[in-house]
Amino acid sequence: MAGEPERSPVSRKPRTVRGRIMAAWTGLADEFDRLFDIKAVWSVLFLSVLTLLLLGPYIGSELPHLEAGAVVQEDIIAPVSLEFVDDAATREVREAARAAMPPVYDFDTLALSEAITAVRTTFARGRQALEEERKRRPDATLSKAELRSILKPGEGVPAPAEAIAYLGERRFDAEIEERLVAALRAAFVHRIVGSKSLLTRDARLTLRDTRSGREWKEDRVPDVLSLDEAREVARKSLATAYPGEERALGAFLSDLITPNLILNGTLTQARREEAAERIEPLIVRIPKGKVLLRRGEIVSEDAARTLAGFQAARKQGRSGRVLLGNLLFTALLLFFMSRYVFFYQRSYRRERHLFALMVVVMVINLVLDRAFLWLVEHVVDTLQTMPYADPSHYRFMMPMAAGAMLMTLLGNARIGMAYSLFYVPLFGMIMEWDPPLLLFCLVSNLAAIYGITAYRQRTALIRAGLLLGGVNAVTVLALQSIIGSGLPVSHLLYLMVCGLVGGILVAALVSFLLPVLESMFNILTDVRLLELSNLNNPLLRRLAVEAPGSYNHSVIVGTLAEAAAEAIGANALFCRVAAYYHDVGKMLKPQYFVENQRDRVNRHDALSPHMSAMVIASHVKEGYELAKSYGLPKQVLDIIPQHHGTRKINFFYQKAKKRENPEVEEVRESDYRYPGPKPQSKEAAIFMLADSIEAAARTLEDPSPPRFKGLIRKIVSDVVLDDQFSQCDLTFSDLENVSAAFLKTLSSIYHHRIDYPGFDFEKVVERSFGGSRTHEPPRRTKEWGQ
């Protein structure tokens, strides 16, 4: 049709495999959003998967209840891997620990000395009393009655009356004193107890000196005497030396002999209880698939006890109380996570489905943790050598920090921290609240967030994995030092190696999962942006060939937008990369845009202003569809219509106003505006300004900083007065900083160049490439490099 521009068809079919995948997923996600309440669906999915993870190991058939002595009818195989405390075996070991603790006896090492002191004191006092009586009555002869009255018991003389009378008659002879001391020594050479019935049957004893507190251990002494036996030994010793004295002094001698070995029952019991408490509960670990009993076997006491413990552990894990507590705890975490997402997205709307993303990443991470444990249980069972055969060592190798690293890459460090806050308790729930492992998980998540904050190339994941592994190894060392497990150095080093390998494993998993989640949730990461900035991209190559002027314009707009974004803290990399694609729609009709007109023929001269405006505006929709067919991310696609917003195509509007004939047709301003929408983000607002300013800057004959400053202020004012920034969060302070960045960048691009001495470009005669010497008229050119 005459007067209409030729049309270049836009293929609606995606041109690349990635484009087909992206288009299919985008359509599916949009349909899903229309049909379902997204938060409710993801919440149900999250609770369902977590419940299965918690109860999965406990779901299965019941084992038969067999008493000791019963015959097994069929093989009994463990349906799941379980760990439980063997209470009976623990009691037996603790009783053995109690029995192994030797009894404590208080041994009085000064008993003999005290008895000898009592003898010598008695003789000394007696001699003194007799001496005083002789001085008072020198010539008197004392009778037995008088001696008893003089030497009364209890007046400092610890001896019975009969013994005092006998000793008085003998004038407290020194030989008798020595014979009594010898008899005491004969008795106290043995260990003396009150009664042999108080002796324990232990092979070893702990002796405790009650005077000094010193302790030592001895084998059981075979010559321990009871108190009666010790007194009889002393009497015989005295009777052997002088038979008559045993009848008179036997009672006195017996009173001097007391037990020197006394069982300290209170201290013995306390030490035995302490020894029992030091015994940790005995854990029985039964891997899945282990044959507990063979068909035809007779059930022993130990086997019956193991079966009962296994069943009790399964019932405890499947109890309604435990399930209810876990579900309530999970529901609380899920509620607070949804509220966090709600408040976060009110001020930061980069991630469209942040709640769904957090749920999916958390479920993936928890499933990976459980799968890793399952794999370890089946692999470690085949090992025999320690420490490789200990499955608890491999818990430090779990990829528990993969989710935190993914969320930091797909969002930012703030989102990664919030994710870790919700993930760590859930991890602890699955791992039965192991405190050291819970603390290790927290530190590992923080290290993953710190290690991946700057991600501009794929090798950053390798560095982050090595950093995470190093932090894991140091954390293992710190935890083992705090716990004081006393592991051998080889075992400790192996634990640290497991932590290091765990960090590398996290990096490997993230490198695999990141592209999948990028496509699934249509999230634009820095690495994806860098891939799109490659000038060998098919769409960019096509733009450079078919619309070179628009391509050059896009590059300069990208430079301006990047500088402005850096000035206000927006995503500078996104601004630069999205600028390359914002005008791809122009290459479908390149000759209708002034920057691509090489033959100085303006196609709009043959069109009406309204038709020209339609052609100009069509590059937005056509560019969106073309970019979508190449699989560009949604964030880049959104920039294409938003960078023009609903602005007026003023040139053709004014042209139409001049040709307006009210009687024929009224010129409506709405027919000369872009379809929109208005900019929804700071980045889109920056694009609108950068695109207009770059195009206007080309029209200046004297590109100087003052002229640029006036041009920038004029365009910014027009855009603001046109109410284009009403739907984004760009402030007037941001506009000032953006304007300053535009001025600095434009002054750098269009700076004045010096003349080249010896070259007069006004007089250069162009020659044909075929080597012809035919002179052609001279052509005026700009300065070199402009």
Side-chain angles (χ1 to χ4, degrees):
M1 182 182 295
E4 290 190 2
E6 65 273 16
R7 299 186 179 274
S8 299
V10 179
S11 175
R12 295 295 186 265
K13 184 178 180 181
R15 299 171 180 269
T16 63
V17 175
R18 184 184 180 88
R20 295 190 184 98
I21 296 175
M22 289 294 298
W25 173 254
T26 302
L28 182 62
D30 292 341
E31 185 66 22
F32 188 79
D33 286 347
R34 286 193 295 269
L35 295 178
F36 298 99
D37 179 4
I38 190 73
K39 285 190 177 181
V41 172
W42 289 113
S43 299
V44 171
L45 172 65
F46 179 71
L47 290 174
S48 301
V49 173
L50 190 62
T51 302
L52 290 176
L53 290 175
L54 291 172
L55 295 182
Y58 304 100
I59 298 176
S61 59
E62 295 282 343
L63 295 181
H65 177 72
L66 299 176
E67 299 290 345
V71 178
V72 181
Q73 300 299 322
E74 59 182 359
D75 291 349
I76 299 177
I77 301 174
V80 295
S81 297
L82 267 184
E83 291 183 356
F84 59 90
V85 177
D86 192 334
D87 294 327
T90 302
R91 284 195 298 270
E92 290 178 1
V93 175
R94 287 177 175 173
E95 286 299 327
R98 289 190 184 95
M101 179 61 64
V104 180
Y105 282 84
D106 291 337
F107 182 57
D108 191 356
T109 55
L110 300 179
L112 175 61
S113 300
E114 291 178 348
I116 293 174
T117 300
V119 170
R120 298 197 185 281
T121 300
T122 300
F123 275 76
R125 297 286 177 83
R127 291 179 186 130
Q128 183 181 359
L130 291 177
E131 185 65 26
E132 291 176 354
E133 184 65 23
R134 183 179 294 112
K135 290 180 180 179
R136 190 167 55 86
R137 299 165 56 189
D139 298 331
T141 301
L142 300 176
S143 64
K144 291 183 178 181
E146 291 176 329
L147 287 173
R148 289 193 186 98
S149 64
I150 294 172
L151 303 173
K152 292 181 180 180
E155 297 181 354
V157 182
E162 183 180 357
I164 290 176
Y166 177 80
L167 293 175
E169 291 175 0
R170 299 295 186 276
R171 301 290 178 178
F172 291 94
D173 188 2
E175 292 183 359
I176 297 176
E177 180 181 354
E178 295 304 323
R179 284 195 292 272
L180 286 173
V181 171
L184 290 174
R185 293 183 187 278
F188 277 105
V189 74
H190 303 281
R191 306 287 168 80
I192 303 173
V193 296
S195 173
K196 285 189 175 181
S197 62
L198 299 177
L199 285 174
T200 62
R201 298 180 180 180
D202 299 276
R204 290 179 62 82
L205 307 175
T206 298
L207 300 185
R208 178 171 171 266
D209 188 348
T210 56
R211 310 288 180 164
S212 63
R214 184 176 64 91
E215 292 187 7
W216 67 96
K217 296 186 183 299
E218 288 186 3
D219 292 333
R220 185 177 180 185
V221 182
D223 60 346
V224 174
L225 302 180
S226 66
L227 182 59
D228 292 339
E229 291 174 342
R231 288 173 175 175
E232 185 63 26
V233 168
R235 284 173 175 270
K236 287 182 179 180
S237 176
L238 186 61
T240 301
Y242 203 91
E245 290 179 350
E246 190 272 333
R247 289 187 298 273
L249 300 178
F252 174 47
L253 185 61
S254 297
D255 291 341
L256 295 173
I257 298 176
T258 57
N260 62 0
L261 194 65
I262 301 173
L263 176 64
N264 192 330
T266 303
L267 186 57
T268 299
Q269 185 64 24
R271 292 189 177 183
R272 287 180 173 175
E273 290 301 323
E274 183 181 353
E277 291 176 359
R278 286 198 297 265
I279 302 298
E280 297 290 337
L282 297 182
I283 305 297
V284 178
R285 179 180 178 274
I286 299 179
K288 180 180 178 181
K290 180 180 180 180
V291 179
L292 302 178
L293 288 170
R294 294 287 185 182
R295 179 180 180 181
E297 289 185 6
I298 297 177
V299 181
S300 63
E301 292 285 348
D302 291 341
R305 189 173 62 201
T306 301
L307 287 178
F310 189 91
Q311 286 296 84
R314 294 191 73 197
K315 289 180 180 179
Q316 181 180 4
R318 291 186 295 182
S319 66
R321 176 179 56 83
V322 174
L323 177 59
L324 178 61
N326 288 334
L327 288 178
L328 287 176
F329 186 77
T330 305
L332 286 174
L333 289 176
L334 192 62
F335 170 76
F336 288 115
M337 186 168 71
S338 65
R339 300 313 297 168
Y340 167 79
V341 171
F342 172 75
F343 286 113
Y344 181 80
Q345 285 193 316
R346 287 201 306 181
S347 59
Y348 189 83
R349 294 175 290 181
R350 179 182 174 187
E351 288 80 15
R352 184 183 177 194
H353 297 309
L354 180 58
F355 181 77
L357 175 63
M358 293 185 74
V359 168
V360 169
V361 173
M362 199 169 293
V363 167
I364 290 175
N365 207 165
L366 293 174
V367 170
L368 286 174
D369 293 338
R370 177 63 74 183
F372 185 86
L373 288 178
W374 178 87
L375 182 64
V376 166
E377 289 174 356
H378 287 72
V379 172
V380 172
D381 287 339
T382 62
L383 304 176
Q384 301 295 330
T385 306
M386 295 297 290
Y388 313 109
D390 189 350
S392 64
H393 289 4
Y394 296 92
R395 293 188 171 190
F396 297 106
M397 198 187 292
M398 279 192 294
M400 59 189 74
M405 189 175 290
L406 279 171
M407 291 304 301
T408 305
L409 290 172
L410 296 170
N412 52 37
R414 179 179 175 183
I415 296 177
M417 293 290 289
Y419 167 87
S420 300
L421 179 65
F422 298 115
Y423 166 77
V424 171
L426 295 174
F427 175 80
M429 186 189 305
I430 291 180
M431 301 308 298
E432 300 178 357
W433 303 106
D434 185 353
L437 192 61
L438 198 60
L439 184 59
F440 176 84
C441 177
L442 176 61
V443 175
S444 185
N445 275 257
L446 295 178
I449 296 170
Y450 169 76
I452 203 62
T453 49
Y455 182 46
R456 292 296 178 88
Q457 51 188 354
R458 295 294 183 186
T459 55
L461 275 175
I462 300 176
R463 295 194 300 269
L466 293 175
L467 174 64
L468 176 59
V471 173
N472 286 350
V474 174
T475 305
V476 168
L477 178 61
L479 288 174
Q480 295 302 317
S481 301
I482 294 172
I483 297 171
S485 56
L487 290 175
V489 176
S490 59
H491 289 211
L492 182 59
L493 289 176
Y494 188 70
L495 280 175
M496 295 175 67
V497 169
C498 288
L500 177 62
V501 174
I504 299 174
L505 180 61
V506 165
L509 289 172
V510 169
S511 64
F512 172 75
L513 292 172
L514 183 61
V516 177
L517 293 172
E518 282 179 355
S519 300
M520 182 178 179
F521 288 94
N522 199 18
I523 294 176
L524 199 57
T525 62
D526 288 347
V527 169
R528 176 67 176 135
L529 285 172
L530 291 174
E531 292 174 349
L532 291 174
S533 68
N534 188 350
L535 299 182
N536 288 323
N537 184 284
L539 187 56
L540 289 182
R541 288 205 310 267
R542 183 178 168 188
L543 178 64
V545 172
E546 299 181 18
S550 297
Y551 174 80
N552 183 53
H553 161 73
S554 298
V555 172
I556 299 177
V557 169
T559 303
L560 290 171
E562 183 178 26
E566 290 177 350
I568 63 172
N571 193 335
L573 178 61
F574 170 75
C575 287
R576 175 168 62 85
V577 174
Y580 295 160
Y581 299 92
H582 81 285
D583 271 346
V584 292
K586 291 182 177 180
M587 66 183 178
L588 300 178
K589 303 183 186 72
Q591 297 303 319
Y592 287 89
F593 298 91
V594 64
E595 67 266 25
N596 298 313
Q597 294 174 356
R598 302 300 181 190
D599 52 5
R600 301 186 183 277
V601 176
N602 191 343
R603 303 292 179 91
H604 293 283
D605 293 341
L607 301 177
S608 66
H610 182 258
M611 183 62 67
S612 295
M614 291 178 60
V615 173
I616 296 299
S618 67
H619 87 276
V620 172
K621 181 179 180 181
E622 292 174 348
Y624 185 94
E625 295 295 335
L626 181 62
K628 185 177 180 180
S629 70
Y630 275 83
L632 263 63
K634 188 176 185 305
Q635 292 85 342
V636 176
L637 295 177
D638 290 341
I639 291 297
I640 295 176
Q642 291 180 25
H643 86 276
H644 281 301
T646 59
R647 294 196 69 192
K648 184 168 53 179
I649 307 174
N650 196 51
F651 179 84
F652 294 108
Y653 176 70
Q654 297 299 335
K655 184 177 180 181
K657 291 288 287 184
K658 292 178 181 179
R659 299 171 54 182
E660 181 180 10
N661 186 354
E663 297 179 357
V664 179
E665 181 181 7
E666 180 183 359
V667 177
R668 293 178 299 179
E669 183 179 312
S670 59
D671 294 336
Y672 292 86
R673 285 189 176 273
Y674 287 99
K678 295 179 181 180
Q680 306 293 306
S681 63
K682 288 185 177 182
E683 288 80 6
I686 289 172
F687 271 111
M688 177 176 285
L689 295 174
D691 183 68
S692 300
I693 289 172
E694 196 282 331
R698 291 174 178 267
T699 65
L700 295 179
E701 295 182 0
D702 179 20
S704 60
R707 299 287 299 277
F708 284 141
K709 186 174 183 179
L711 180 146
I712 292 171
R713 287 195 174 276
K714 177 68 170 62
I715 291 178
V716 171
S717 298
D718 288 347
V719 173
V720 172
L721 293 175
D722 200 17
D723 197 29
Q724 294 298 311
F725 295 156
S726 60
Q727 298 179 11
C728 67
D729 53 354
L730 197 70
T731 65
F732 284 105
S733 176
D734 292 335
L735 284 175
E736 290 294 331
N737 294 329
V738 166
S739 299
F742 284 151
L743 177 60
K744 181 179 179 181
T745 306
L746 285 174
S747 299
S748 300
I749 295 175
Y750 295 100
H751 65 275
H752 178 70
R753 305 297 181 94
I754 63 172
D755 294 331
Y756 281 76
F759 290 87
D760 186 357
F761 295 105
E762 300 291 339
K763 298 181 179 180
V764 172
V765 178
E766 294 185 357
R767 297 178 179 177
S768 64
F769 289 106
S772 172
R773 295 182 178 273
T774 304
H775 292 279
E776 297 181 359
R779 189 166 95 181
R780 298 177 63 85
T781 63
K782 296 182 180 180
E783 290 184 2
W784 180 262
Q786 291 190 348

